[in-house]
Amino acid sequence: MQGNKFSEALPGLNWVRRLDPRTKLCLLLASFVMVLLPESPQVVALATLMVLGHVTLARSCRALRPIRWLLLPLAVFSLGVWSFLAHGPTPLFWGVSRESLAFGAANFLKLATMMVAGLTLLATTPPEELFIGLVKVRLPYPGAFAFALALRWVPEIFNTAMRVKEAQEARGLSWEHGNPLDRLKRHLPLLAPIFLLTLRRSQAMAWALEARGFQMSPRRTYLLEVHMAARDWLALAVAGLLLAGIITLHLLCWDRIPGLRL
């Protein structure tokens, strides 16, 4: 087996990107717990700032640009749904109270922060490292392999969709004319060729795995080796302290919205 510290072999990677994949998975889990425990938007915003600090240190802001268009619909959905489902003693307008509005804002921050944390993990961790990290945390090999393979298939499906769209444009189909509903209807026929091409590639992948004896031996060898370094233990210690602070606020009930009723 060849020792291969994949992350450190690539130039231009900062120390966050060089963290062990197991450390990154633990950081992701800690960030989820930190944003899901609190109820008040102030404490959730504090956890969000911690996650954004991690994003800044990882220099992955550019990778998160595509999701900025999702934040506004997510905010409208969260504020619109949770503000009417929750109730409080301080009415504002149309049955919306100050407490329910704060609860809707907190839920928006929770969803947005978890989305950012998950995409940061994918942006800073190659699929090979993420795969071996999942295996090291005792996830069954087929499950870890399927997850890593799914990550690789996402850009392939996108490229397939773009090729099908370009082929339809070459045949004279216009996507820019008409209202948004008409444009959406023109995209619906693309689903059939995209699905068929993806299914064909999946079958070819299955045949290739069978030809290479996938799962024939219970013992596996790996080209990539990962191990914990001092920076990993430091990152875990800092994350543990921050998580302990959020849990302390939760146990002391300082993260509650007074008067909120669900």
Side-chain angles (χ1 to χ4, degrees):
M1 181 186 300
Q2 179 183 357
N4 181 19
K5 296 178 67 178
F6 184 79
S7 294
E8 295 190 2
L10 295 178
L13 297 185
N14 56 30
W15 69 273
V16 175
R17 293 175 180 262
R18 292 192 180 100
L19 290 175
D20 190 277
R22 290 166 290 184
T23 303
K24 297 179 183 179
L25 291 171
C26 291
L27 294 179
L28 178 66
L29 179 61
S31 64
F32 281 7
V33 175
M34 284 193 295
V35 299
L36 288 176
L37 272 183
E39 187 178 84
S40 66
Q42 294 84 358
V43 182
V44 179
L46 180 62
T48 301
L49 289 177
M50 298 176 188
V51 174
L52 292 179
H54 175 70
V55 172
T56 303
L57 291 175
R59 301 175 186 172
S60 58
C61 297
R62 181 177 299 178
L64 301 177
R65 288 180 182 177
I67 70 168
R68 65 184 185 274
W69 305 110
L70 297 177
L71 295 180
L72 180 59
L74 184 62
V76 172
F77 174 81
S78 300
L79 294 175
V81 172
W82 293 108
S83 297
F84 286 98
L85 292 179
H87 306 281
T90 311
L92 292 177
F93 55 88
W94 297 340
V96 176
S97 63
R98 179 180 300 174
E99 292 77 13
S100 64
L101 189 62
F103 185 67
N107 279 280
F108 162 68
L109 288 176
K110 290 179 181 182
L111 295 175
T113 304
M114 289 190 295
M115 184 188 304
V116 169
L119 291 177
T120 301
L121 172 67
L122 298 179
T124 58
T125 311
E128 297 85 359
E129 286 192 10
L130 188 56
F131 162 69
I132 195 64
L134 292 173
V135 172
K136 292 293 185 180
V137 297
R138 304 302 181 183
L139 185 69
Y141 180 86
F145 182 82
F147 181 77
L149 188 62
L151 293 180
R152 288 193 171 276
W153 272 101
V154 171
E156 289 294 331
I157 294 176
F158 178 78
N159 292 334
T160 300
M162 294 304 298
R163 285 195 295 269
V164 172
K165 185 176 179 180
E166 292 173 356
Q168 295 297 329
E169 289 178 350
R171 291 172 172 84
L173 183 60
S174 176
W175 309 99
E176 304 300 330
H177 296 86
N179 54 52
L181 183 59
D182 292 335
R183 297 180 186 178
L184 179 61
K185 290 180 179 179
R186 294 193 190 101
H187 283 78
L188 292 179
L190 299 181
L191 297 178
I194 293 174
F195 177 77
L196 292 177
L197 289 174
T198 304
L199 187 61
R200 184 181 301 173
R201 290 193 175 186
S202 301
Q203 188 178 33
M205 176 66 71
W207 288 341
L209 291 174
E210 290 179 1
R212 287 166 174 80
F214 182 71
Q215 287 295 93
M216 291 296 294
S217 174
R219 184 178 179 181
R220 309 293 310 188
T221 58
Y222 305 97
L223 177 66
L224 175 65
E225 289 184 352
V226 295
H227 62 273
M228 302 289 287
R231 57 177 174 266
D232 297 292
W233 299 113
L234 176 61
L236 290 176
V238 173
L241 290 175
L242 297 177
L243 181 59
I246 296 295
I247 294 177
T248 301
L249 294 178
H250 182 72
L251 294 177
L252 295 176
C253 298
W254 290 354
D255 63 341
R256 300 288 192 269
I257 300 177
L260 180 68
R261 302 189 311 274
L262 297 177

